[in-house]
Amino acid sequence: MFEGPNYPESLDESVFEEWLEKGRSSKIPYAYLMVIWDELDGLYAPVYVELRSELKKYARYGQAPDHQLLVAAYDLYSETRVI
């Protein structure tokens, strides 16, 4: 996943599937998975949120830590990309 010149690295699809499952099985009722690129660590990381409005806040300039970039966001249950 995330292959090509627009992405810093590719992400193994099995890792992505694990992230989806972890979000679905959480006791906290998460609805969305954000895939974040952390420039300091040079790795993708999952961030889970409950509300769609939280996605927009994170995507806005200045809301996320300076070294993190929102790459994509997915609905945990339909697996559709929302951002």
Side-chain angles (χ1 to χ4, degrees):
M1 298 186 73
F2 307 122
E3 296 174 357
N6 295 332
Y7 301 104
E9 291 269 334
S10 63
L11 175 66
D12 189 276
E13 198 148 342
S14 65
V15 172
F16 177 74
E17 293 295 328
E18 288 174 22
W19 291 349
L20 289 172
E21 186 55 39
K22 182 178 177 184
R24 288 184 202 122
S25 64
S26 173
K27 291 184 181 195
I28 299 172
Y30 293 124
Y32 301 97
L33 161 66
M34 293 188 292
V35 178
I36 305 297
W37 174 255
D38 189 305
E39 292 180 341
L40 293 179
D41 295 333
L43 298 170
Y44 287 108
V47 174
Y48 302 97
V49 295
E50 297 175 63
L51 304 171
R52 191 173 185 126
S53 60
E54 294 175 86
L55 299 174
K56 293 176 184 175
K57 287 180 186 177
Y58 204 93
R60 274 191 243 145
Y61 179 75
Q63 298 295 316
D66 289 336
H67 60 89
Q68 293 183 342
L69 172 68
L70 175 62
V71 175
Y74 294 85
D75 182 289
L76 281 173
Y77 298 94
S78 69
E79 299 184 19
T80 57
R81 187 170 176 164
V82 293
I83 291 180

